[in-house]
Amino acid sequence: MDLQLDLFAALASESEQPSKPAPAPRRAAAPTTTTRPTVAAAPAPCAKPAAGRRFSDEGAHRTAVALGEAVAGAWHRAHGGPDMAVPIGLVAALTLIRQRDAHGPDLKAQILAQQPRELIEMYRQIWAGHWQARPDLIDRARVLHEWLNAPGEIDDHRAYCVEVVTEAALKAGILDLTGHPDAIERSRTDALSHVIMLLRSDGARQGLGEFHTPPSVTTMLGEVMLAELSTETTMEAKGPQAGQHIHDPAGGSGGMLRAAAQALRWRGHDPADFQWSMVDIDPIAAACAAVNAIVWGLGPNVVVACDDSLANPRAVEDARAHARAVIAHRNQVMGTARMIAAVRRTQALLETAVAA
């Protein structure tokens, strides 16, 4: 039975799959196949709509808090260890999938029916599929999934921890928060922010200067960002204009950008028509921001830098150059893969002809 995974659901439009690097921001005057994993047969659940639950903003924030508590609790009870990138990476991967067929087998039930080693392979394929579509963002999120590429280090205990964290995240409602086909519904909260905060110790957070910003504050600051954009436009074209650049120099996991994107949508704009950038010194926070940019539908012109914006005023430009290199590498890899596939098809045709 195939999982009803839509690995490219958040990147379905052509604009979400950049064939070339994003242009420099301006002010308006302004490695595997993409086949879906197969799993052991699961009990046939009742069909249900793919849209999932609809939350109010407050309800989504409460569910995100409960999600963070559930994941942190499961990881610690399983004695998962100090590498918090593992449980955060599992939740991040789950935010990237959703039910493909509204009347097909229930995605949550299918995932829960998998064995630990099958789950690990599923996670590899989720990241690999999205790398092909958005290598710039998935490479920025590498700290969350690079452990999957060291299969010799994934022992039975690590596989068990993967299973219990996956179960905790699914039962706490991760697919309800991020599995909706409507980007407005997927963007009601930052599902990864509370997971980070609850897994990281107080001392580590203070050392990084990392503190959770309440959703009500990010919403207000998102409005402030748009107000600043409006002051840059001409008197004849008041309000945000497509192509403008929205930047957060201390972005965390992207909460301000989420709020600004939602404010744009409520004004009738598509966030994919704007340019987005952010910087954060914490690799895990920056990785989560890169994943969130996909989940929230920010579009092809997104740059996430992991740097100190005070020490390096060119952090965004440096990150953009790195993104260009990653996209070029993806294009080379995919071109080589297509050439190999074409050669194999030709060989098969020749062998068939000779046999005849």
Side-chain angles (χ1 to χ4, degrees), residues 80 116-117 120 147 150-162:
R117 295 290 173 177
I120 290 168
W147 60 274
E153 298 181 11
I154 303 177
D155 58 17
D156 288 344
H157 180 68
R158 174 59 59 88
Y160 166 73
C161 292
V162 168

Side-chain angles (χ1 to χ4, degrees), residues 71-305:
V71 168
W75 179 253
H76 292 312
R77 285 193 300 272
H79 302 288
D83 189 358
M84 60 180 287
V86 175
I88 296 172
L90 298 175
V91 180
L94 292 174
T95 68
L96 293 170
I97 62 175
R98 64 187 67 116
Q99 185 96 15
R100 180 186 293 274
D101 181 357
H103 304 290
D106 180 52
L107 176 58
K108 175 180 173 181
Q110 285 194 297
I111 295 175
L112 289 173
Q114 292 189 91
Q115 298 300 312
R117 295 290 173 177
E118 292 173 324
L119 286 173
I120 290 168
E121 180 58 26
M122 180 196 76
Y123 284 117
R124 289 193 184 112
Q125 293 201 33
I126 290 172
W127 289 111
H130 279 274
W131 178 84
Q132 292 182 47
R134 288 305 302 265
D136 51 333
L137 296 176
I138 298 304
D139 184 75
R140 176 59 66 203
R142 185 170 62 241
V143 66
L144 301 181
H145 56 80
E146 60 186 351
W147 60 274
L148 287 163
N149 297 321
E153 298 181 11
I154 303 177
D155 58 17
D156 288 344
H157 180 68
R158 174 59 59 88
Y160 166 73
C161 292
V162 168
E163 180 182 34
V164 297
V165 168
T166 300
E167 180 179 4
L170 289 171
K171 291 185 176 179
I174 183 61
L175 296 183
D176 292 325
L177 288 174
T178 60
H180 204 285
D182 186 347
I184 289 179
E185 299 299 328
R186 296 197 305 273
S187 305
R188 289 195 179 277
T189 192
D190 181 350
L192 297 176
S193 175
H194 290 285
V195 178
I196 296 174
M197 298 301 290
L198 288 165
L199 279 166
R200 181 166 278 158
S201 68
D202 290 341
R205 288 199 302 271
Q206 292 172 10
L208 288 165
E210 181 177 79
F211 299 96
H212 178 71
T213 304
S216 58
V217 176
T218 60
T219 298
M220 177 187 68
L221 292 176
E223 293 286 350
V224 170
M225 284 182 174
L226 298 194
E228 290 178 352
L229 289 185
S230 298
T231 63
E232 298 173 0
T233 59
T234 64
M235 293 300 292
E236 293 77 17
K238 294 181 179 178
Q241 300 297 303
Q244 287 183 300
H245 178 210
I246 300 171
H247 175 67
D248 188 348
S253 55
M256 303 289 189
L257 301 189
R258 180 198 67 79
Q262 288 293 76
L264 284 171
R265 289 189 173 101
W266 294 126
R267 287 166 169 76
H269 297 284
D270 184 351
D273 294 334
F274 291 75
Q275 299 182 50
W276 304 86
S277 65
M278 60 151 282
V279 185
D280 200 89
I281 197 170
D282 174 23
I284 289 181
C288 288
V291 172
N292 280 334
I294 298 173
V295 175
W296 298 336
L298 298 189
N301 299 320
V302 181
V303 177
V304 179

Side-chain angles (χ1 to χ4, degrees), residues 1 26 31 33 147 155 231 307:
M1 180 188 302
R26 62 181 176 85
T33 63
W147 60 274
D155 58 17
T231 63
D307 210 330

